[in-house]
Amino acid sequence: MHLNELEIGQKATITGVHADGELKHRLYSFGIRPDTEVTMKNISLNRANMQILIQKSLTNLRAEEAQQIAVQELK
Amino acid sequence: MKQIKIALVGQPNVGKTLLINSISGSKLKVGNFAGVTVEKKEISFEHEGYEIIITDLPGTYSLNDYTLEERVTKSYLLNDKYDMILNVLDSTNLERNLYLTTELLELDAKMVIALNMSDEAQKEKITIDSKQLSSILGTPCLPVSAATKQGIIPLVEQIVSTYTHTDNTLKVTYSESIEEQLESVQSFLESKKSQLPADGLKVSHRRAAVLLLQEDPAFYKVIHENPIWIELSDVLKKSLKQIYDFHNTKDMLEIFHEERHAFAKGAALETVKVGDQKGTTLTEKIDSLLIHKVFGLFIFLGLMYGLFQATFTIGAVPMDYIDGLFGWFGETIGGVISNEAVRSLIVDGIIAGVGAVVMFLPNIIILFIGIALLENTGYMSRVAFLLDGIFHKFGLHGKSFIPLVAGFGCSVPAYMSARILKNEKDRIITMFIIGFMSCGAKLPIFVVFCGAFFPDAPGLALFLIYILGILIGLVSAKILKVAVFKGNDEPFVMEMPKYRAPSIRLMWNMVSAKSYSYLKKAGTYILAASMIIWFASNYPKNLELGIEAKKVESAITEDYAHQVILSSDLINQKATTDSTFNQEMANKEIESATKEIEDARDKLISENTFALQKAELEHSALGIIGKATNWFFVPLGFDWRQTVALEMGLLAKEVAISTLGILYALGEDVDQENQSLPTVLQKEVPFNSAVAFMLFSLLYLPCLAAVSVFKKEAGGFKYVVYLFLFTTAVAWITGFIGYHISNLFV
């Protein structure tokens, strides 16, 4: 499952970041790395942008970026 | 006085700018980093006999990154001269902030760490053992709060203290596998000490070892020259292999990445304690409304509408005052100068020109205040969230909304506000299409033409023109993104900071600096443009025309004076012969007859004057150029008069209508309220050329002042050339299509 598939309120653990160089680096510096917990907070029209809560920070990313982040849903 | 130069480094949104602005007695200086469009802020103040100068570097998440701002920061830290680094961290998010700190520690410079937002940390029940942290990192860590001004004095004192002490106990410890190899490379370098350059390696052995293992290109170039290189490269190969094997990857960048994260995480774990957290924070609660995918959008549009309404209504008051002031000033000065040409230059050229710029200032200040509010409260990132979906489809960024909407007022502040876009590509593409958002100065053109050529629905026509501008803008952006500025998108992922009350002090600094910059830039260029317009439209003077016109005027005056006498005589005669017609009645009749005759005379004189003005413009430099370049516009159906008007508009858009006024012999004072211009245009200009003219005006190059700001923001003259070619092509093609399509509707 990938980050962009989560619904508002769902929590998950990141299992992998399958992005390339620059994007991967940027995601990591936001704390978006394997073994980190993430919560989906808000989704924009057409699911184009997503607001997530990660390491106590609110972060905004595009759906195509979220698509490259593999997650394991937390029940 | 001894100077202490400090490099101020921190991640975005940690409040470092507010922090240094909070130091009492601080003076701000704003500039640009050499050769790039990145703002450089310097704060200076005095303490204990030292002059302390702090260079505020752009906020960056890490030094290894790819954006322009991050490169500027990294370059400054590696190449510029400074005495120490002041690293500002957000206490409520220590682990993430420590990543950058780890990279800074590797630089081996003197450092002081400010744990900012300690007031917020307290509210969130986060406690940091700053002593423990200081010892782990080997540098002093002090809790501060820029908002409450707590801890600022101890921070300043620590800066001086660190400066005067020479010991450097900075330490980053990597994991065992790395440390082992560092040790091995370090001892190799130690053993070869005698063979290294006389003035040393300029860095410590440990740092050299780190750079070598990191395969740092700059350092490799240096060490390559050295004779020890051959042996060294063997040692390195062995060490690197050990590391690759252990970490199961050859990506050294990634390995060090991981190492730093681990170090940061470890330091945070040891020093940060978090109390019981309440469910959702206030920010999260507010966001559930403000970025709700439907309500959020409505709220945003409502706020924007409010902001722009405020700009016009509140801005209108000072605007009128300034207009009046300059008008009065012009008249007063004009009264004192006897020389016609000099008076014209000063009153019509300089004073009018400068007045036009200053008049815009209130609106621009309000716009900048609005933008500063959006950024300082944290709402700007929410705007990006709401709008990015649609803007990204057109190759733009969610934040592009702001400069594009500003462009509807004036392109000058619009180009300046494009700075809120951090990614170069996004910023440049947005700037290229700002000109299509029809600016305020173009409005008179559309008002007149829509009134003349779409008499049944001028408002609708005007609205459609604006919409067309927006559509063409969006489509062009997409084309530019796909065809010109291609390549992968830069990462969008961005932080959405907590909502915070804006700092009035900070906003004041930002707004006044930007407004002053606008005044200087726009002021000089509009002034120059006004003078050029004045000069090129008044010279070369064909003196014969003037003489000829004066002759005609005298003839008319004489002729009509004669008629007045004749008519008065006739009436007086009638009074003597007709008994029912007494002198009183006669006088009255003479009065009205004279008035009628004089009115007719004045009308003829006006026509004569207007004809003179038209002829003078025709023979002036601008007129000549206009006629010479008219061939370019023939396929769009323009005659030389429209060409000249458009070319005048290159200098300042608002001049286009008054130029048409002169060229259609209606005199110099024509504006959009003038009743005769639409009538004349209707008669003289065919429908299809009018459509083409409107389309061309909508899309072509912005005025001189705007273009000069564009050049500064885009970073070079070549972009101006591109902009010129781009806008001219789009304007011409659209005008051409419009010209032919409108034939279908005639």
Side-chain angles (χ1 to χ4, degrees):
Chain A
M1 184 178 202
H2 292 99
L3 186 58
N4 63 316
E5 297 168 58
L6 292 177
E7 292 300 338
I8 298 184
Q10 275 186 304
K11 288 199 212 291
T13 310
I14 297 177
T15 55
V17 176
H18 308 302
D20 68 0
E22 190 181 351
L23 179 58
K24 183 175 193 174
H25 201 102
R26 178 61 66 88
L27 291 171
Y28 271 47
S29 52
F30 274 83
I32 301 173
R33 318 165 56 227
D35 298 329
T36 322
E37 188 183 302
V38 58
T39 313
M40 180 62 75
K41 299 292 294 178
N42 273 296
I43 303 178
S44 77
L45 274 176
N46 275 340
R47 296 186 78 92
N49 289 72
M50 297 165 177
Q51 185 195 44
I52 59 173
L53 182 65
I54 189 136
Q55 273 181 9
K56 287 192 262 97
S57 261
L58 290 167
T59 308
N60 175 7
L61 65 166
R62 287 180 177 148
E64 55 257 35
E65 295 171 333
Q67 201 170 42
Q68 301 176 59
I69 303 168
V71 298
Q72 170 87 299
E73 210 188 322
L74 286 171
K75 294 295 172 207
Chain B
M1 199 181 291
K2 261 234 134 211
Q3 272 187 358
I4 305 181
K5 288 201 70 177
I6 302 183
L8 183 67
V9 191
Q11 296 192 339
N13 301 309
V14 297
K16 55 182 177 53
T17 308
L18 182 60
L19 180 64
I20 54 172
N21 272 282
S22 306
I23 300 175
S24 52
S26 57
K27 284 193 278 277
L28 169 70
K29 197 169 72 157
V30 178
N32 254 6
F33 281 98
V36 288
T37 54
V38 176
E39 218 174 47
K40 177 180 185 182
K41 295 188 277 260
E42 245 178 42
I43 293 269
S44 55
F45 61 95
E46 279 176 34
H47 187 82
E48 284 176 23
Y50 289 98
E51 189 196 358
I52 302 182
I53 303 176
I54 305 183
T55 304
D56 188 358
L57 298 174
T60 102
Y61 289 104
S62 75
L63 292 183
N64 270 333
D65 254 323
Y66 306 74
T67 70
L68 177 61
E69 293 189 321
E70 285 159 329
R71 270 180 273 142
V72 166
T73 300
K74 182 172 184 180
S75 160
Y76 186 91
L77 288 171
L78 289 178
N79 304 319
D80 272 66
K81 284 216 163 346
Y82 51 91
D83 298 305
M84 81 175 73
I85 296 175
L86 174 58
N87 181 206
V88 180
L89 280 67
D90 175 358
S91 301
T92 63
N93 211 327
L94 202 67
E95 186 182 328
R96 195 188 70 196
N97 278 253
L98 282 176
Y99 182 88
L100 177 61
T101 310
T102 315
E103 287 185 307
L104 295 173
L105 289 171
E106 288 176 358
L107 296 177
D108 262 359
K110 286 196 186 176
M111 203 154 113
V112 171
I113 291 180
L115 302 169
N116 197 18
M117 299 176 171
S118 46
D119 55 327
E120 291 184 26
Q122 211 170 21
K123 284 202 203 103
E124 292 178 31
K125 303 205 185 108
I126 298 173
T127 43
I128 302 179
D129 186 348
S130 50
K131 277 205 171 36
Q132 168 80 307
L133 190 60
S134 306
S135 113
I136 295 177
L137 302 178
T139 108
C141 302
L142 286 82
V144 300
S145 164
T148 63
K149 293 214 189 183
Q150 254 180 321
I152 300 216
I153 301 195
L155 181 67
V156 175
E157 291 178 346
Q158 179 65 61
I159 289 176
V160 175
S161 160
T162 299
Y163 176 75
T164 50
H165 289 105
T166 49
D167 59 5
N168 224 1
T169 54
L170 260 41
K171 44 195 180 185
V172 182
T173 358
Y174 301 105
S175 63
E176 192 59 45
S177 57
I178 305 279
E179 289 291 334
E180 249 181 64
Q181 302 312 320
L182 279 173
E183 181 57 47
S184 123
V185 176
Q186 232 181 307
S187 40
F188 174 80
L189 289 173
E190 274 289 319
S191 68
K192 295 290 173 185
K193 216 174 10 192
S194 50
Q195 289 183 296
L196 292 171
D199 54 351
L201 278 172
K202 289 203 183 106
V203 294
S204 67
H205 285 166
R206 180 180 165 84
R207 172 122 182 93
V210 170
L211 285 170
L212 287 168
L213 285 184
Q214 286 179 340
E215 302 186 296
D216 180 83
F219 194 70
Y220 263 59
K221 239 200 306 202
V222 166
I223 211 75
H224 222 83
E225 310 293 315
N226 198 288
I228 64 165
W229 172 245
I230 312 194
E231 277 186 66
L232 177 59
S233 64
D234 270 339
V235 173
L236 278 176
K237 253 205 274 274
K238 263 207 305 245
S239 288
L240 287 173
K241 182 164 190 321
Q242 295 274 45
I243 298 179
Y244 295 154
D245 284 342
F246 187 87
H247 289 261
N248 222 345
T249 168
K250 282 203 173 186
D251 189 345
M252 206 35 117
L253 218 58
E254 171 137 2
I255 294 175
F256 269 92
H257 217 358
E258 274 304 316
E259 291 287 319
R260 293 190 197 105
H261 275 298
F263 183 75
K265 189 167 188 160
L269 270 171
E270 267 190 75
T271 54
V272 181
K273 301 270 173 291
V274 182
D276 284 329
Q277 300 275 293
K278 53 180 173 206
T280 43
T281 61
L282 182 61
T283 297
E284 289 168 49
K285 292 202 181 80
I286 298 179
D287 268 344
S288 55
L289 180 64
L290 286 186
I291 51 174
H292 183 274
K293 63 172 144 192
V294 177
F295 296 131
L297 216 46
F298 278 112
I299 294 176
F300 169 69
L301 290 172
L303 286 173
M304 282 300 106
Y305 178 72
L307 172 65
F308 284 96
Q309 270 297 90
T311 310
F312 288 118
T313 37
I314 301 180
V317 175
M319 235 172 123
D320 288 335
Y321 275 124
I322 295 177
D323 198 15
L325 182 69
F326 272 84
W328 167 86
F329 191 57
E331 274 171 35
T332 322
I333 298 275
V336 201
I337 303 178
S338 49
N339 182 313
E340 173 80 44
V342 174
R343 169 155 44 93
S344 179
L345 169 63
I346 294 192
V347 176
D348 298 327
I350 298 182
I351 295 184
V354 175
V357 181
V358 179
M359 214 167 66
F360 269 113
L361 196 59
N363 279 340
I364 290 189
I365 291 181
I366 295 179
L367 177 71
F368 285 147
I369 291 178
I371 294 179
L373 261 174
L374 287 178
E375 284 208 306
N376 278 8
T377 51
Y379 188 58
M380 183 72 85
S381 58
R382 274 79 187 173
V383 171
F385 178 84
L386 290 169
L387 299 177
D388 186 65
I390 183 164
F391 273 84
H392 189 228
K393 281 204 172 52
F394 290 102
L396 297 163
H397 187 284
K399 286 199 211 172
S400 301
F401 181 82
I402 304 283
L404 288 177
V405 174
F408 282 110
C410 172
S411 301
V412 172
Y415 289 130
M416 289 170 78
S417 63
R419 286 273 175 108
I420 60 179
L421 292 158
K422 302 293 171 205
N423 296 334
E424 270 181 280
K425 272 195 220 150
D426 290 333
R427 189 165 63 223
I428 295 246
I429 294 180
T430 304
M431 287 204 286
F432 263 76
I433 65 168
I434 280 176
F436 297 152
M437 309 297 125
S438 180
C439 78
K442 290 188 191 175
L443 190 57
I445 301 175
F446 301 127
V447 168
V448 169
F449 273 74
C450 287
F453 294 92
F454 297 93
D456 297 324
L460 179 63
L462 182 62
F463 180 67
L464 288 176
I465 293 213
Y466 273 80
I467 297 292
L468 188 64
I470 297 174
L471 286 175
I472 294 185
L474 292 175
V475 170
S476 313
K478 185 67 177 170
I479 294 178
L480 284 174
K481 185 63 188 281
V482 166
V484 178
F485 297 95
K486 11 174 206 232
N488 282 331
D489 273 330
E490 290 185 42
F492 171 85
V493 54
M494 57 189 287
E495 189 182 353
M496 296 176 89
K498 298 194 199 65
Y499 285 111
R500 293 195 169 93
S503 153
I504 305 289
R505 202 186 329 131
L506 203 55
M507 278 178 54
W508 167 255
N509 278 345
M510 283 169 69
V511 173
S512 54
K514 285 212 169 75
S515 305
Y516 178 67
S517 167
Y518 160 80
L519 213 52
K520 242 178 35 173
K521 239 340 144 110
T524 15
Y525 281 90
I526 291 191
L527 178 60
S530 307
M531 288 174 64
I532 295 176
I533 293 178
W534 176 84
F535 190 76
S537 55
N538 279 311
Y539 294 90
K541 260 210 195 316
N542 187 327
L543 293 172
E544 275 179 33
L545 288 171
I547 295 174
E548 204 39 59
K550 267 244 153 15
K551 275 198 214 149
V552 172
E553 192 174 314
S554 310
I556 296 175
T557 316
E558 229 187 276
D559 187 34
Y560 277 73
H562 199 63
Q563 276 193 37
V564 167
I565 296 177
L566 275 177
S567 134
S568 307
D569 280 347
L570 264 167
I571 295 173
N572 277 327
Q573 226 177 27
K574 186 164 161 210
T576 53
T577 52
D578 190 345
S579 50
T580 58
F581 195 66
N582 65 24
Q583 193 59 40
E584 203 185 310
M585 290 165 69
N587 289 340
K588 264 208 211 110
E589 229 181 90
I590 292 181
E591 218 181 294
S592 65
T594 311
K595 184 164 187 316
E596 227 177 281
I597 297 174
E598 286 185 342
D599 280 348
R601 175 202 65 188
D602 286 342
K603 185 159 177 287
L604 275 184
I605 292 186
S606 282
E607 279 175 18
N608 183 47
T609 314
F610 295 163
L612 172 64
Q613 287 167 347
K614 172 181 174 187
E616 285 189 321
L617 186 53
E618 219 176 311
H619 286 90
S620 72
L622 271 168
I624 296 174
I625 294 174
K627 286 193 171 166
T629 51
N630 195 50
W631 56 269
F632 184 67
F633 295 101
V634 164
L636 274 64
F638 299 168
D639 70 11
W640 67 276
R641 288 173 288 195
Q642 277 116 10
T643 305
V644 172
L646 280 177
E647 288 170 3
M648 296 277 269
L650 277 178
L651 294 164
K653 297 281 172 248
E654 51 264 35
V655 179
I657 279 296
S658 49
T659 306
L660 281 178
I662 298 178
L663 295 176
Y664 282 94
L666 296 172
E668 316 182 302
D669 291 318
V670 170
D671 61 15
Q672 69 267 33
E673 318 257 332
N674 184 299
Q675 307 296 339
S676 354
L677 184 59
T679 327
V680 170
L681 289 173
Q682 250 174 354
K683 265 200 307 203
E684 308 255 347
V685 180
F687 181 72
N688 45 16
S689 334
V691 169
F693 184 79
M694 282 197 283
L695 291 173
F696 197 89
S697 304
L698 174 68
L699 303 167
Y700 80 128
L701 194 70
C703 70
L704 180 64
V707 169
S708 74
V709 176
F710 173 85
K711 167 169 169 279
K712 176 163 173 247
E713 294 294 319
F717 188 69
K718 73 171 183 201
Y719 286 105
V720 175
V721 176
Y722 294 150
L723 185 69
F724 176 73
L725 294 170
F726 175 68
T727 51
T728 309
V730 173
W732 200 97
I733 294 173
T734 312
F736 186 73
I737 295 176
Y739 181 69
H740 288 282
I741 290 188
S742 47
N743 279 330
L744 303 172
F745 292 91
V746 167

